[in-house]
Amino acid sequence: MINIKTNTQLRFIFFIGILLAVYGCHKKELFTFEEQKFTIDSIVGCKTEDCASVEINLIKVIDNHTITNAINTQIEQAACSILNIDENGALTTVKDAIRQFNTSYQNISKQFPDETAPYEATIDCKLGFQCKSLISIAIDSYVYTGGAHGYGGVSYINMDAINGKRLSNKALFKDYNGFVNHAEKAFRVQHKILDESPINSTGFFFENDTFSLPENIGLTDTEVILLYNPYEISSYAEGSIELKLNKQDVASYFAFDIL
């Protein structure tokens, strides 16, 4: 006689084992991040000199993995590009970028001691989302180097979690045009723009009066964020324009499993 009950129990145990193995593998592929803080005082001796104000909070991968360095380099270079006000130089480390930022301030301050307000830079980096194939990181920054006001904004770094390379916005999608159409419909609803009306009819200034995605696209555990920073489609006074899309509604457009 065949023991049906025993076979059923074995099959159940087998399937549970497979599920646990898949879950365990998925968890192992996620990276561990820790915070990394830089201040002007930790880089440059400013006790006897007038220095810029700089505070940078980055994150870095601490796992011993083949692409750890690639991921950390992308994050650090993004911070460097925010601080790099010298168009002639491309910096690769945050410490060098802080030194250059401070030197630029001190040089201009010596030339115009009564007219130069202290330079200021703050950068705050956070992990927005990660899965076994994709990492999305948000960088909130503010930089002041003189003038009526500084410039603040949020930028996103999206990286392939398999090779550590930074992804362009188009590389995120398998159906880019489909996502653009979906986003435009959501944008029109949010800003009460009729389907038959030009996209700029309420005061936006999309190029050629045609809807387009922002420079910055980020992800969280539940949403896809489209972020238009000041001047991108509206004036500085309007601030950032943000459109949040439910991941469940747009996951099919992506080239990665974002759920």
Side-chain angles (χ1 to χ4, degrees), residues 115-252:
E115 302 175 18
T116 305
Y119 284 11
E120 179 184 352
T122 58
I123 299 174
D124 192 28
C125 181
K126 295 182 186 260
L127 175 66
F129 169 76
Q130 71 164 319
C131 64
K132 62 183 179 181
S133 59
L134 182 67
I135 300 169
S136 185
I137 292 171
I139 302 180
D140 190 352
S141 64
Y142 174 82
V143 176
Y144 176 78
T145 56
H149 55 73
Y151 181 81
V154 177
S155 56
Y156 289 97
I157 307 172
N158 296 305
M159 290 177 282
D160 189 317
I162 306 301
N163 56 34
K165 292 183 179 180
R166 188 167 180 174
L167 297 163
S168 67
N169 284 347
K170 280 198 172 182
L172 290 170
F173 303 97
K174 63 183 178 184
D175 184 2
Y176 181 80
N177 291 332
F179 181 80
V180 172
N181 291 334
H182 181 98
E184 179 174 358
K185 291 177 182 177
F187 188 92
R188 285 177 176 273
V189 169
Q190 178 170 300
H191 295 281
K192 298 181 172 66
I193 305 172
L194 298 176
D195 291 343
E196 61 271 19
S197 299
I199 195 67
N200 291 337
S201 61
T202 60
F204 293 110
F205 40 81
F206 285 95
E207 187 174 357
N208 298 322
D209 211 359
T210 301
F211 177 84
S212 59
L213 298 182
E215 294 180 6
N216 287 285
I217 300 175
L219 294 95
T220 69
D221 287 338
T222 58
E223 296 172 321
V224 174
I225 299 174
L226 306 183
L227 184 71
Y228 299 88
N229 279 309
Y231 298 123
E232 198 169 345
I233 61 169
S234 59
S235 66
Y236 179 85
E238 294 293 330
S240 298
I241 306 295
E242 188 175 60
L243 177 65
K244 295 181 178 181
L245 304 173
N246 190 305
K247 285 170 70 173
Q248 296 281 354
D249 297 334
V250 297
S252 61

Side-chain angles (χ1 to χ4, degrees), residues 2-3 5 11 23 48 54 67 76 96 106 152 164 168 223:
I2 299 175
N3 190 337
K5 183 177 181 180
R11 282 198 297 270
Y23 178 77
T48 58
V54 180
I67 66 167
E76 191 162 13
D96 286 342
Q106 290 180 329
S168 67
E223 296 172 321

Side-chain angles (χ1 to χ4, degrees), residues 21-51:
V22 169
Y23 178 77
C25 288
H26 177 77
K27 294 301 287 184
K28 287 178 182 176
E29 292 177 3
L30 299 185
F31 293 99
T32 305
F33 289 85
E34 74 171 13
E35 294 183 351
Q36 190 177 24
K37 186 171 184 177
F38 301 87
T39 63
I40 191 73
D41 293 331
S42 65
I43 308 296
V44 182
C46 294
K47 292 183 178 179
T48 58
E49 296 182 24
D50 182 24
C51 291

